[in-house]
Amino acid sequence: MTDTTAPLAPPPALTCPKCGTGLADAGLATCPECGVELGAGPPPPLPTPLSEDGAPPPIPAPGSGDRPDMPVLGGIPAGTPAATTAAPAPADLPVEKCPQCGGTIDTDGYCTQCGASRPDPRHHVEEAPTAWAAGVCDRGIHHAGNEDAMALWAEGEAAGRAALVVCDGVTTAQRSAEASEAAADAAVGVLRGARSTGVGVAAARDAALGARLDAAADAASGAVAEVTETLVAQGMSGDSLPSCTFVAAVVEESVVAVGTVGDSRAYWFPDEGEARLLTTDDSLAQERIKEGADRAEAEKAADAHTITRWIGVDAPDHTPDKTVLEVDAPGWLLLCTDGLWNYASSPDELGTQVRSALEAGGGIPLGGATELVRWATEQGGRDNITAVLARLGAGAPEPVAPQAHPAQQSPVEATEAAAAEPRPAEAATTETTTTETTTTTEEA
Amino acid sequence: MAQFSATVYQNEFLPEGGTDVHAIVSVTCSGAGSVSAAAPGQAGEVIVVDTSGSMQWQGVQAAQYAAAAALDQIPDGVWFAVVAGDHQARLAYPTGNAVTMAQMNPQARMSAKHALRNLYPDGGTAMGSWLLAAAQLFDTVPGLAKRHVILLTDGKNEHETPDQLTRAIETVRGRFQCDCRGLGSEWSVAEVRRISEALLGSVDLIRSWEAMPQEFAEMMQQSMARGVADAALRVWAPQGAEILFVRQVAPSLEDLTARRQEINPLTGSYPTGAWGDETRDYHVAVRLPAKSVGAEQLASRVQLVVGEDVVAQALVKAKWSNDTMLTAQISPEVAHYTGQTELATAIQEGLRARSIGDDATATAKLGRAAQLAKEGGNAEALEHLDKVVDIEDAATGTVRLKRNVDKLDEMALDTASTKTARVRK
């Protein structure tokens, strides 16, 4: 190892490479004697290798002697291994946990352990504005994003006033996720401020509630138009403009008015008596049913879900179809998208699911909606799923001990299990046990 | 201040059960600045010229001119030394008996050129000891951030065993970068490539003495234009995943996979050496456990790190889909560089087969090479191939071996094999 602190060897005495004159100052640009340029350009010509008689000078045999003018280098010097510095300490930021593996979500939006992406808050939304009405809106399994949206508002301790809106963004249209969210929010904004109930007679009351729903649909349409305008302003408008379905319920204590555009639905499940579908789809399937086709067959057709009316700037008409329900006995109002009713379309079948969902979910709207979404996910989760439940005609629902599930899975595990192995519809309904536990829900 | 950016090219869609994610990550550096502008006192250059007997007087004289041309490209303030290499390594400059480096200034430049007159042809070739000498010299100057060697040889490494050379390479690995040049046809491309690959440098052929000064000047200019002294590619893959390979695929092909230094169990660091204003493309392949259709995850974070600072990051993703329209597509960039990698292998295997008289294999491999060079738009490779084989139809890879091939053309094809054509965008 060489002593690195030793001074450099003094520069050798310099001579002009051309004329041999000694140079006092090595910084000279030219030789003061002959004027040759110094310090740049090719080296001076070599002394001729030829001896006087023209023969090349003798070349020493390899290794035949030292060259005192050139020190021999060698020996393996002590290594200077590159010091591996520890990674910089993580910044003092709130640590975001990965729901998949418990690792840390990086600022780039992905888990530093398993690579899962930061959950989009829109992928699973829960809302419970009151004890008697709540909803869950979930991405399901097969769709990359959640184009369903819901907006809920309620006041009063039991079956008071409420405005519940569910919109399903049309998958084939652009920015449908934005459109559905804007539409639902705008519609509830209108409904929560409206209090007119007409002048007492049922017809006047129905007309007043209907007018509210019309105004809400107008507001939804306006909101979708705004989303469309930004799209056009960005020069990104294509063939399919943002659009969505619309189902809204106005609850005025014992009266419920429901309006719909498209194929999102409202059902009424009284505790005693016949379950009812309150809405009529605007879809090709429904048109065929009207023409006499069997419902189950019509809903299985490839284009069954093609809707004939929607909310959007290219919609010919967005006036909702309206129904008024007078609640004279306790029951459950359900608003949902096709991601749920696809797996149980008839009021009886779906009513069975709602009852078991409420049992498993502790008898409260949020628990029931969560269980309905879980059930639809287990059926395959082919579409986004939204379920909104409201308890009407009775006091606020009393929480009861929820019934446990066969497998206590987190929604994520359930999602993966279902994706790996879709189970037939009937299997899920029979799978309940009585193990005491609470349901796990993914945090929104 | 140097700016880095990284762009990823991939098809992130995997079919059901698919596991392998391929991506090309293109890293661009701009505003690297030059060594002289940044911190010349932190840069060191060692010029190693072969002065073995085989160089003869003309060869040594050419090496003197070449070294002088390189010295002219070293800015003031940079530390440097000149080593004469034969079966030993001797310090030609700084003169005197102290083993040390000198800091460049006009006086030192002139003195160094003077000292070059002391070189004369003698002895054999021991490149391992030349490398150790360079490392020894760099160690005399503490605080050097950028260390670069230009190594010239004209012959095979006859005075060391391959093991000795390997040990020397491993001793100096990571301590400096080394660009290697071979003069004439008596050196071994494969042998010198071992040095250049391990020491993050280039290898090329200098056909004749006359071409040496320009080649040396260009090498030194390029080194001095690399204002970012050292950087590393960092590749993260999720738990349970396997990094299949990490390759530099442009401007030249370098398999980095074995150079991994573990940062943590999920992250490896691959040294890249110094950067100037340039773009380098990397091919990263990661194998993931298959997930269900609809699942989506990050397959890899690919970062460029200078010191401990992440200066650029690209995210490689995986999405499982049952839409064959999406999953069947191969990213054009991945396809292109996969072809260029196969091209390098085909040329090298073809030349090896040719050298042992296996004409059938040589014809098949070099034919495939011609086909890949044409597909990939690699005009340089085609030009070199054309001197070794008669290309009847590049599109189908139909070639005939030429009877008489200049050894230099064969070596030029070999050294050119790892230079890739950029993807046409």
Side-chain angles (χ1 to χ4, degrees):
Chain A
M1 181 75 192
T2 309
D3 180 4
T4 55
T5 59
L8 291 175
L14 294 176
T15 54
C16 170
K18 190 173 182 194
C19 65
T21 308
L23 300 174
D25 180 359
L28 289 174
T30 54
C31 171
E33 193 64 32
C34 68
V36 72
E37 276 193 31
L38 302 171
L46 292 172
T48 170
L50 299 179
S51 61
E52 276 170 18
D53 59 1
I59 293 175
S64 63
D66 286 338
R67 301 169 185 181
D69 55 328
M70 289 192 228
V72 173
L73 300 164
I76 297 174
T80 50
T84 38
T85 331
D92 234 359
L93 292 170
V95 175
E96 194 180 341
K97 288 282 171 204
C98 170
Q100 301 266 0
C101 75
T104 308
I105 302 275
D106 195 40
T107 49
D108 61 22
Y110 292 90
C111 175
T112 54
Q113 282 291 316
C114 72
S117 60
R118 169 186 288 136
D120 180 343
R122 185 84 185 268
H123 285 179
H124 183 90
V125 182
E126 298 181 0
E127 271 188 56
T130 174
W132 52 273
V136 175
C137 176
D138 191 276
R139 178 175 60 137
I141 292 174
H142 282 263
H143 282 230
N146 186 4
E147 286 151 0
D148 278 8
M150 64 180 178
L152 313 181
W153 170 84
E155 64 177 16
E157 284 185 4
R161 301 181 63 232
L164 315 171
V165 180
V166 169
C167 293
D168 178 354
V170 174
T171 308
T172 53
Q174 303 174 68
R175 301 268 183 102
S176 287
E178 263 174 80
S180 62
E181 191 168 42
D185 289 346
V188 157
V190 165
L191 292 176
R192 63 185 295 174
R195 302 191 77 95
S196 155
T197 49
V199 289
V201 295
R205 182 200 62 201
D206 292 358
L209 295 180
R212 285 197 215 172
L213 290 168
D214 287 347
D218 285 343
S221 179
V224 174
E226 268 181 45
V227 171
T228 310
E229 270 170 37
T230 29
L231 200 64
V232 173
Q234 290 166 356
M236 289 166 69
S237 61
D239 295 340
S240 53
L241 295 169
S243 38
C244 65
T245 69
F246 174 89
V247 61
V250 180
V251 179
E252 286 283 351
E253 291 171 350
S254 62
V255 182
V256 182
V258 172
T260 178
V261 181
D263 68 351
S264 297
R265 291 182 178 176
Y267 290 84
W268 172 243
F269 303 110
D271 294 352
E272 307 286 337
E274 200 181 338
R276 283 176 60 193
L277 172 60
L278 302 175
T279 53
T280 307
D281 297 346
D282 298 309
S283 69
L284 290 181
Q286 187 59 39
E287 289 194 353
R288 293 196 186 110
I289 293 162
K290 230 186 286 177
E291 286 160 10
D294 174 64
R295 171 171 289 275
E297 285 301 314
E299 285 178 354
K300 268 186 222 155
D303 57 356
H305 287 270
T306 303
I307 54 176
T308 51
R309 296 201 316 137
W310 60 92
I311 303 268
V313 292
D314 53 354
D317 163 37
H318 62 253
T319 312
D321 282 339
K322 292 171 282 281
T323 309
V324 174
L325 170 75
E326 298 208 27
V327 177
D328 49 10
W332 290 92
L333 176 72
L334 170 73
L335 267 55
C336 65
T337 57
D338 55 351
L340 179 68
W341 66 250
N342 269 335
Y343 298 112
S345 171
S346 77
D348 283 348
E349 281 178 273
L350 192 52
T352 309
Q353 294 311 325
V354 168
R355 266 190 299 281
S356 37
L358 282 162
E359 277 168 26
I364 57 167
L366 185 61
T370 301
E371 292 304 319
L372 280 173
V373 167
R374 175 203 292 275
W375 171 77
T377 302
E378 285 172 357
Q379 304 316 302
R382 302 207 164 269
D383 200 350
N384 306 141
I385 307 150
T386 305
V388 175
L389 282 171
R391 179 68 172 162
L392 302 179
E398 286 295 317
V400 297
Q403 295 195 5
H405 287 276
Q408 280 302 312
Q409 296 167 310
S410 75
V412 168
E413 286 165 336
T415 299
E416 291 193 340
E421 198 183 330
R423 275 179 279 175
E426 57 275 16
T429 61
T430 56
E431 285 181 10
T432 46
T433 68
T434 52
T435 318
E436 179 129 18
T437 174
T438 50
T439 54
T440 43
T441 54
E442 189 178 356
E443 277 180 41
Chain B
M1 186 63 194
Q3 297 287 317
F4 285 87
S5 62
T7 315
V8 63
Y9 300 95
Q10 67 160 146
N11 175 14
E12 54 201 32
F13 291 100
L14 291 173
E16 191 167 4
T19 56
D20 295 0
V21 182
H22 288 261
I24 301 296
V25 177
S26 188
V27 181
T28 298
C29 175
S30 59
S34 65
V35 164
S36 58
Q42 289 180 20
E45 289 284 343
V46 171
I47 300 167
V48 182
V49 290
D50 188 343
T51 57
S52 61
S54 60
M55 286 288 282
Q56 303 178 19
W57 279 105
Q58 291 95 324
V60 168
Q61 191 169 12
Q64 288 165 334
Y65 276 87
L71 290 171
D72 281 340
Q73 300 301 326
I74 300 180
D76 288 358
V78 173
W79 293 86
F80 77 105
V82 181
V83 171
D86 47 46
H87 56 283
Q88 291 176 312
R90 292 159 198 272
L91 183 58
Y93 189 85
T95 47
N97 287 320
V99 175
T100 178
M101 294 179 77
Q103 212 164 1
M104 184 60 88
N105 59 41
Q107 175 193 334
R109 193 174 289 113
M110 193 174 72
S111 312
K113 287 179 183 176
H114 266 272
L116 293 172
R117 295 168 77 177
N118 296 330
L119 305 185
Y120 59 91
D122 180 27
T125 303
M127 287 183 261
S129 62
W130 307 354
L131 296 174
L132 295 173
Q136 184 186 0
L137 285 163
F138 285 128
D139 281 351
T140 65
V141 185
L144 282 184
K146 180 181 188 296
R147 288 175 282 223
H148 178 245
V149 169
I150 289 177
L151 184 150
L152 173 79
T153 184
D154 81 329
K156 297 191 175 68
N157 200 41
E158 281 164 343
H159 283 74
E160 284 172 343
T161 64
D163 275 355
Q164 279 178 305
L165 179 58
T166 303
R167 276 205 300 279
I169 290 172
E170 291 312 317
T171 305
V172 303
R173 187 194 281 273
R175 294 163 69 177
F176 55 84
Q177 280 184 265
C178 183
D179 285 312
C180 302
R181 292 297 178 268
L183 174 67
S185 62
E186 296 306 313
W187 58 288
S188 156
V189 177
E191 188 171 78
V192 177
R193 183 178 278 141
R194 279 174 63 198
I195 299 173
S196 67
E197 282 189 350
L199 304 183
L200 312 178
S202 58
V203 57
D204 215 337
L205 166 72
I206 303 179
R207 283 173 178 259
S208 65
W209 295 330
E210 297 80 49
M212 281 172 59
Q214 196 192 341
E215 184 78 18
F216 268 53
E218 283 172 6
M219 261 191 289
M220 192 59 81
Q221 275 167 7
Q222 193 180 44
S223 175
M224 290 300 114
R226 289 183 169 156
V228 178
D230 201 12
L233 195 72
R234 218 172 252 193
V235 180
W236 171 95
Q239 201 145 40
E242 178 193 354
I243 296 177
L244 297 177
F245 59 77
V246 178
R247 287 183 195 137
Q248 180 184 295
V249 288
S252 62
L253 194 64
E254 304 281 353
D255 195 339
L256 308 180
T257 316
R259 295 184 196 164
R260 175 186 169 103
Q261 296 161 1
E262 189 166 296
I263 301 289
N264 61 49
L266 304 181
T267 311
S269 177
Y270 304 83
T272 65
W275 284 69
D277 287 354
E278 60 183 307
T279 296
R280 301 185 200 176
D281 294 346
Y282 297 93
H283 185 167
V284 175
V286 175
R287 178 164 292 165
L288 302 170
K291 288 204 171 166
S292 55
V293 165
E296 174 185 344
Q297 75 165 96
L298 191 64
S300 181
R301 287 182 180 86
V302 181
Q303 302 172 326
L304 199 80
V305 179
V306 176
E308 281 300 325
D309 298 329
V310 175
V311 292
Q313 171 167 291
L315 300 178
V316 180
K317 294 170 191 171
K319 290 179 185 169
W320 282 266
S321 168
N322 50 15
D323 183 346
T324 49
M325 291 287 283
L326 296 174
T327 59
Q329 287 172 18
I330 297 174
S331 145
E333 291 79 11
V334 170
H336 172 81
Y337 286 124
T338 303
Q340 294 288 300
T341 304
E342 194 193 339
L343 169 63
T345 312
I347 290 175
Q348 288 171 24
E349 288 178 357
L351 288 176
R352 204 174 306 136
R354 194 178 175 284
S355 71
I356 57 166
D358 180 357
D359 286 357
T361 304
T363 306
K365 294 285 182 188
L366 295 175
R368 176 67 180 147
Q371 191 179 23
L372 289 162
K374 176 129 174 61
E375 279 171 10
N378 193 332
E380 194 184 342
L382 262 186
E383 198 179 299
H384 286 296
L385 274 165
D386 196 40
K387 293 186 174 127
V388 177
V389 291
D390 291 317
I391 302 174
E392 286 177 3
D393 184 5
T396 58
T398 314
V399 301
R400 265 183 297 111
L401 299 182
K402 281 187 197 289
R403 272 179 199 283
N404 297 309
V405 174
D406 187 340
K407 182 82 196 304
L408 289 171
D409 286 333
E410 207 175 275
M411 291 170 79
L413 173 59
D414 197 348
T415 57
S417 66
T418 54
K419 290 174 194 154
T420 54
R422 285 224 185 256
V423 66
R424 284 168 290 193
K425 285 175 186 156

